Amino acid sequence: MSRWLLDTNIISNVTKAVPSESLLAWMAEQADETLYISALTVAEIRRGVLEKPPGRKRDQLEAWFAGPEGPSALFAGRVLPFDEKAGLVWARLMVDGRAQGRPRSALDTMIAAIAEVNDCIVVTDNQKDFDGVETFNPLRRGG
């Protein structure tokens, strides 16, 4: 059974007013215990909420983030940290990217490192930033 690490763009897509149908279908096929997010994804989502100007939309996002449908609640026990092992993998991935003439986003590479040390496949709509680790894009299923 595969373990899936959902990238921030996947969580963002699911929370859209009209999420991707292929993404929702794929997620419905997965057992909850196989779906993970990183602590960095929680941080990115929180930053996005805090960057919204005060008002109704931000209040709604704050309530969602802190509530039972928010990422920390939905993924309780399945939020993976960036730890020492991931740090060592991150260093290698960053150097490999630079050596290949393709510098990488530090944050995406940290998520990639978390996936590698936790034996997860990164689920993302941004596969180019995860070169060196296994990825899957459910938004492009069937073609």
Side-chain angles (χ1 to χ4, degrees):
M1 181 179 298
S2 294
R3 291 167 44 115
W4 308 97
L5 181 63
L6 307 179
D7 188 19
T8 308
N9 62 38
I10 295 299
I11 300 299
S12 295
N13 190 301
V14 170
T15 63
K16 287 181 179 180
V18 182
S20 162
E21 289 182 25
S22 62
L23 174 58
L24 292 179
W26 178 81
M27 287 188 75
E29 295 168 0
Q30 308 311 309
D32 286 350
E33 63 270 11
T34 67
L35 300 175
Y36 295 81
I37 59 173
S38 74
L40 298 168
T41 292
V42 175
E44 282 190 288
I45 294 167
R46 180 68 179 149
R47 184 190 76 199
V49 171
L50 294 173
E51 287 177 342
K52 295 285 183 201
R56 189 172 58 96
K57 180 64 174 172
R58 180 171 168 171
D59 291 345
Q60 290 172 337
L61 289 170
E62 290 271 5
W64 165 78
F65 185 85
E69 297 295 318
S72 294
L74 281 180
F75 292 91
R78 295 177 287 124
V79 178
L80 302 175
F82 183 76
D83 59 11
E84 182 180 0
K85 288 179 183 177
L88 296 174
V89 170
W90 174 82
R92 176 181 48 80
L93 292 172
M94 291 295 288
V95 169
D96 288 352
R98 182 159 292 146
Q100 295 169 9
R102 293 193 310 259
R104 298 177 174 165
S105 154
L107 192 57
D108 286 339
T109 306
M110 291 167 125
I111 293 171
I114 291 168
E116 184 174 316
V117 300
N118 288 283
D119 195 29
C120 293
I121 299 166
V122 177
V123 180
T124 184
D125 188 29
N126 190 20
Q127 292 170 291
K128 66 178 175 55
D129 286 339
F130 292 95
D131 191 35
V133 297
E134 189 175 357
T135 61
F136 175 71
N137 184 346
L139 281 75
R140 294 199 180 128
R141 285 185 10 162

